[in-house]
Amino acid sequence: MSVFIPLGALDDAIIQKIAEISGENARRCMQCGTCSAVCPMVESMQPSVRQLMLLLQHGRSGAVQEATTAWTCAACHTCLVRCPRGIDIPRLMEGIRQIVLRQNLDRVDPRAIPAETLAALPPIALVAAFRKLTA
Amino acid sequence: MKISYYPGCTLKSKARNFEDSALASLAALGFEVAELERWNCCGALFSLTTDDLLHQLAPVRVLIRAKQAGAGRVTTLCSQCYNTLARANRLMREDEEKRNTLNQFMTEEPDYFGEVEVVHFLQLLRDEIGWEKIKAALKKPLTGLKVAPFYGCMLLRPKEVGIDSPVKPSILMDFIAALGATPTDFAAAEECCGAYQVLAAPEAGLKRTKRVVEAAHASAVDALVLSCPLCEYNIGKQQRELAAPGGALPVFYFSQLLAVALGVDAGSCRFDLNAAGARQLLEERGLIAAAARK
Ligand code: SF4
Ligand code: SF4
């Protein structure tokens, strides 16, 4: 991934918005990469958790909202247990998701789920997915 | 002794094998179970936003039902229900401002202050009944069965509600040992099954299934035990989507192996609801009779 570091004042509106929703401050990240190293979903994310924190610190709100990271996160809380800066990354991911979902933009369409999938999945899978990925 | 019990939605539908085997085991151990009345879905996941309390209502209402039943403690089986209820309970205990807002909003309910204790069934086995008592009650020790624990996320993280150490847990290993089986650690025991991404990002989810199954095969285990219906789906049922080298890996709810070892009627284990290979393994090892099929 190429990272563009803008000169001049960085836009911290997105950091503040996430902090309002989730109580977590992306500025505290020291870019150690532990989260990416332990994240079970990292190979399916673009960019990684650490890279997403860097984009946030640079105020790259467009890139953050395009990133698949928060949508691929499984809220497993592995990173929370390991982050040396004590950042509640799962909450921060929820903040990013909520910024999008609160614009009434769903990430899964319940009507598009095939009937056989609906019949096979345990109710907690459906309730959890709708809680995390629909408005 | 009487236990106040919250089942949750999945145990009443897809995971009857979990509930039935657990209740039969509790009865065999001399416990009486009282299911909460008028319970509702806990919401499946604890809400991680701090500016929106609406999603806390469902788990808090469940806790209020327990309080109304006069229960000092409510027991759960599903790891996700456990985690959601335990975290909501901590919120009600520790955050005065949010507690007041929630209590004021639910005018029809009595005020709740976190009085009820939320415990997972495994905690009850470890802390209340004790491994020694379970060992003494065994009718059919699972001798020779190499079983690995799959903790997943919700029993362990975050550590404030974890039933054991978030990085080095032992409760399921001790449980497996108590059943007379051979506890076998493996590299993915505390990893995530992919959770609800089975719906939204199934390819990413299948990578989790593959990783966990391969790690278990690498440690030559006979079976996994777990406590979450979503883990059971992702690691057990989703194996059908893999060209699994090393063959099928049987996956059990911990309560099913408990029931077998306690000599409870195998009908209560409902192995027909497990993914392929589960019942067959126990039959091959002579732990259940082939006649127990239903
Ligand atoms: S583990 Fe914490 S400090 Fe390290 S990169 Fe991740 S968020 Fe930043
Ligand atoms: S909570 Fe999300 S970001 Fe953190 S380790 Fe789990 S999947 Fe990765």
Side-chain angles (χ1 to χ4, degrees), chain A residues 28-36 49-50 53 79 82-87 89:
Chain A
R28 295 179 51 223
C29 170
M30 64 181 185
Q31 287 290 300
C32 68
T34 304
C35 48
S36 295
V49 194
R50 178 196 62 78
M53 301 299 275
C79 52
R82 303 282 186 172
C83 172
R85 297 287 288 151
I87 302 174
I89 304 159

Side-chain angles (χ1 to χ4, degrees), chain A residues 6-86:
Chain A
L7 298 170
L10 300 176
D11 167 22
D12 70 352
I14 186 154
I15 293 189
Q16 280 179 10
K17 186 79 195 152
I18 291 170
E20 271 168 36
I21 298 174
S22 73
E24 294 301 311
N25 181 1
R27 280 240 168 67
R28 295 179 51 223
C29 170
M30 64 181 185
Q31 287 290 300
C32 68
T34 304
C35 48
S36 295
V38 299
C39 174
M41 305 302 281
V42 73
E43 60 178 315
S44 306
M45 289 170 170
Q46 191 53 251
S48 73
V49 194
R50 178 196 62 78
Q51 287 168 329
L52 186 79
M53 301 299 275
L54 188 62
L55 289 173
L56 280 170
Q57 291 182 336
H58 289 162
R60 303 275 313 275
S61 89
V64 169
Q65 290 186 49
E66 277 164 31
T68 66
T69 320
W71 306 105
T72 314
C73 167
C76 74
H77 288 68
T78 311
C79 52
L80 164 74
V81 174
R82 303 282 186 172
C83 172
R85 297 287 288 151

